[in-house]
Amino acid sequence: MMLAAFRLVYLLFLQALWAGEVAADPRCNCTSSWEQVRWEMSHIFRRDLDLGWLLNCLADYACEVPEEHHIAATLLTGDSMLCSEEILPQVTSSIPCPAGMLHYMLACCLQMWLKRRYRQSALYYEHGLGFLALTGGCLDGSKWPLWSGQVLKNWPRFLAAAFPPVPIVSEEKRADDVTYLAAGPRVDPSIRWWET
């Protein structure tokens, strides 16, 4: 009986110690402007939000976004969070908040998906995985809405959706005043690849 009580106290001690280390880890316990980023990401990556449905809804201009999802919809489609279609940040350990950058990269991935820029979307996801590695495991149990298993689970689902095994097609695209030819697989933009 005494041994069982000791084990329980020891396990509780380890759990409290681990929770303290997670909370104190600067890679996930980011301050100042990162608080605003975490607030924004908590709306996009809410556990009660079917993000696959929201992406489909936002791609369909006739869809009505419910009031409780307006902040997420505005962040993904509005001007408040602009993601570059050409330049991505460098994945480096000098970034003060890799957990925040991971979330921002995945939000940009979703934004590029909505713009039907699937290769750029893949680059953002890949950068997000780099920042996930830099979190050093502190993401799980932190105040950030995503956890590492969720990010890793959705990566192959994303790849299957963005690069389906279908014939390559070419299409003419326009950016600013330049017209160019792009080639790639025909992607179904309504496929629900993100699982919350």
Side-chain angles (χ1 to χ4, degrees), residues 119 168-171 181-185:
R119 283 173 281 191
I168 302 294
V169 295
S170 63
E171 61 183 325
L181 193 62

Side-chain angles (χ1 to χ4, degrees), residues 84-88 112 117-124:
S84 173
E85 295 185 20
E86 298 169 6
I87 302 171
L88 278 76
M112 290 299 123
R117 300 209 30 142
Y118 305 112
R119 283 173 281 191
Q120 190 71 4
S121 184
L123 290 173
Y124 273 112

Side-chain angles (χ1 to χ4, degrees), residues 6-51:
F6 174 76
R7 283 184 182 161
L8 178 63
V9 169
Y10 181 70
L11 288 174
L12 290 173
F13 169 74
L14 288 178
Q15 183 180 14
L17 179 65
W18 181 79
E21 288 174 2
V22 168
D25 194 321
R27 295 172 293 186
C28 287
N29 190 22
C30 311
T31 56
S32 67
S33 62
W34 291 105
E35 290 294 327
Q36 176 66 27
V37 172
R38 188 170 67 218
W39 179 85
E40 291 170 353
M41 297 303 121
S42 70
H43 287 281
I44 294 173
F45 298 110
R46 285 175 37 185
R47 295 199 170 132
D48 64 338
L49 170 61
D50 182 350
L51 198 49

Side-chain angles (χ1 to χ4, degrees), residues 63-81:
C63 181
E64 280 284 324
V65 176
E67 181 69 32
E68 64 269 17
H69 304 314
H70 273 275
I71 294 173
T74 301
L75 288 168
L76 290 173
T77 60
D79 294 334
S80 62
M81 190 184 81

Side-chain angles (χ1 to χ4, degrees), residues 28 41 45 47 51 98-107 109-110 121-135 138-140 142 144-159 193-196:
C28 287
M41 297 303 121
F45 298 110
R47 295 199 170 132
L51 198 49
M101 287 301 290
L102 159 68
H103 283 75
Y104 194 78
M105 292 296 100
L106 291 182
C109 166
L110 298 174
S121 184
L123 290 173
Y124 273 112
Y125 206 123
E126 182 184 38
H127 272 57
L129 292 174
F131 286 114
L132 175 63
L134 290 176
T135 64
C138 69
L139 191 64
D140 300 330
S142 72
W144 291 93
L146 292 175
W147 63 96
S148 56
Q150 182 182 26
V151 175
L152 295 172
K153 177 183 75 172
N154 281 305
W155 173 238
R157 294 174 54 82
F158 168 81
L159 289 175
W193 55 269
W194 184 269
E195 279 188 4
T196 303

